Amino acid sequence: MRRLILLALATALAAASAHAAPPAASLSITCDAGGEVAGAEAPNLHGNWDFLMVPGGAPSFGVMSIGFVGDQYGGALVPVRTAPVVLRNITLAGDRIRMVVASAEGDVHFDGRLSAKGDYMCGTVTYHGGATFPMVAQKRPSTYRSQPQAERAR
């Protein structure tokens, strides 16, 4: 995951430093989230995540912060090139994760899978106009441990 992000970043920086248009390139993202662990408690999504998505073939990096609002998840997505947007709905069912991002043009949806350890997610972003792009996110290590969702007051 980190190699993919570093490779894409290095390619973008090299093209920018040469003052030339970036070379035509194909960026492919694949994800094997691994199988669910039987009997394991649901992963805690709370924390900061580095993400990479590829709209129109151009890599777009940023940080996603997920936290609890009561017993539900909420958060913000901060792409490097645009303004922050609100993660207004985040649902997790098994290893399937779905997020709804509020944007000025309409809702943007992420449908993907969470790794068995709960430390990365991979899937597809669908924009309000129907265009789809791949996206991956990796959770940053943290010593902070929030209360598990199952134990939060409802």
Side-chain angles (χ1 to χ4, degrees), residues 6-151:
L6 290 174
L7 176 62
L9 183 57
T11 301
L13 289 174
S17 67
H19 302 293
S26 172
L27 185 57
S28 173
I29 297 175
T30 60
C31 182
D32 179 12
E36 290 184 54
V37 178
E41 72 178 56
N44 189 337
L45 302 177
H46 182 272
N48 291 314
W49 299 71
D50 294 303
F51 74 87
L52 166 66
M53 60 182 231
V54 189
S60 177
F61 302 92
V63 175
M64 176 172 53
S65 294
I66 297 176
F68 285 108
V69 180
D71 66 342
Q72 300 296 312
Y73 286 115
L77 188 87
V78 185
V80 171
R81 290 187 255 168
T82 62
V85 291
V86 173
L87 292 171
R88 62 181 190 84
N89 187 293
I90 303 169
T91 56
L92 182 61
D95 71 342
R96 304 302 297 178
I97 183 166
R98 181 172 170 84
M99 295 184 281
V100 179
V101 179
S103 80
E105 295 85 14
D107 286 347
V108 175
H109 297 268
F110 172 81
D111 290 296
R113 293 180 59 206
L114 189 66
S115 68
K117 290 171 42 177
D119 59 349
Y120 75 93
M121 60 181 82
C122 181
T124 303
V125 174
T126 304
Y127 277 82
H128 30 79
T132 60
F133 307 107
M135 180 177 138
V136 293
Q138 182 171 12
K139 192 173 186 180
R140 290 182 180 180
S142 174
T143 57
Y144 176 79
R145 298 290 175 236
S146 67
Q147 188 178 23
Q149 186 175 17
E151 296 175 16

